[in-house]
Amino acid sequence: PYTIQHDFSQYDILIIADFGHGMFNKEIAHQLAQLNTPYKTIMAQTNSSNMGFNRIDKYKRANMYCIDKVEMQLCLNQKEEMELHEQLQELSGCITFDRLYITTGSKGAVLYVNGELMQFPALAKKVIDPIGAGDAFLSLASLVSYLNYSNELSLLIPSLASAMNTQWLCNEKSITKTEFIETAKKVI
């Protein structure tokens, strides 16, 4: 069995992006969740190659999780609709976190902190391609969470990056600081 031997305690933040291609089995996920790091964020993606088999609850503890609504429902074994607040309370029994982001596509994103729920609308009015939008969201949500930004900014900044990323095909561009600031000025 593989054992993680790297010392991550010297890093400010550890971002674990599990795309469900078999690299992180349950044993590795358990080791990653137990690592001593100043701040740990985790995303476990559900996609067409792993539907239902790459659940976020294989990582029991992180400072921050970022999942979409389908990934939450799969983790809770729910097909029927439930109140979001009820789902989040139930999910709190499966994983331990300080912050939980749920992306909901065209409905925006949700941040759940200390039992409080904050919702933020989607900023993209027209989507050219959603590929990479979740990755942009995860990246900036991890950063603003680590920096302990206000809940409002913690939703605005990653939502803005996610919306920007939907305006071109696939990953044909990266978001630059200048473009981000200019877009933020227009939105704010």
Side-chain angles (χ1 to χ4, degrees), residues 1-187:
Y2 183 80
T3 303
I4 298 171
Q5 297 178 2
H6 188 79
D7 178 17
F8 289 95
S9 64
Q10 301 303 309
Y11 293 85
D12 294 328
I13 184 171
L14 175 63
I15 301 172
I16 299 166
D18 182 350
F19 293 97
H21 301 302
M23 185 175 173
F24 301 135
N25 61 25
K26 283 187 179 183
E27 183 180 322
I28 296 298
H30 177 74
Q31 289 178 41
L32 287 168
Q34 299 302 316
L35 285 175
N36 180 25
T37 60
Y39 201 86
K40 185 180 340 173
T41 69
I42 300 176
M43 177 276 300
Q45 184 185 74
T46 293
N47 55 50
S48 61
S49 68
N50 68 27
M51 184 59 85
F53 295 100
N54 193 43
R55 295 171 20 157
I56 195 72
D57 61 343
K58 74 180 179 182
Y59 301 94
K60 298 295 183 190
R61 171 76 182 107
N63 300 93
M64 188 213 93
Y65 289 95
C66 184
I67 57 177
D68 68 22
K69 190 167 182 183
V70 171
E71 291 160 348
M72 177 178 63
Q73 289 175 304
L74 286 169
C75 184
L76 298 175
N77 295 315
Q78 289 180 337
K79 189 173 182 178
E80 70 282 346
E81 282 296 314
M82 259 178 86
E83 281 292 319
L84 183 57
H85 206 277
E86 289 178 48
Q87 289 175 311
L88 292 168
Q89 287 177 327
E90 193 171 327
L91 190 60
S92 297
C94 301
I95 56 176
T96 304
F97 55 85
D98 301 319
R99 289 177 178 228
L100 171 67
Y101 289 88
I102 309 274
T103 58
T104 57
S106 63
K107 293 182 181 172
V110 172
L111 176 58
Y112 188 64
V113 181
N114 297 324
E116 289 187 37
L117 181 65
M118 182 174 185
Q119 296 182 315
F120 200 83
L123 296 175
K125 301 300 179 214
K126 182 181 94 179
V127 173
I128 294 170
D129 188 354
I131 291 176
D135 302 331
F137 190 98
L138 169 68
S139 300
L140 287 175
S142 297
L143 182 61
V144 297
S145 292
Y146 169 70
L147 295 172
N148 202 27
Y149 279 28
S150 70
N151 290 347
E152 187 174 87
L153 282 176
S154 291
L155 275 169
L156 170 64
I157 292 171
S159 293
L160 184 58
S162 182
M164 289 175 69
N165 207 81
T166 66
Q167 301 307 298
W168 50 78
L169 289 175
C170 263
N171 295 312
E172 91 182 351
K173 284 178 59 173
S174 295
I175 298 170
T176 67
K177 178 181 175 181
T178 303
E179 287 174 321
F180 186 85
I181 291 169
E182 288 304 312
T183 304
K185 286 177 184 176
K186 292 174 190 171
V187 170

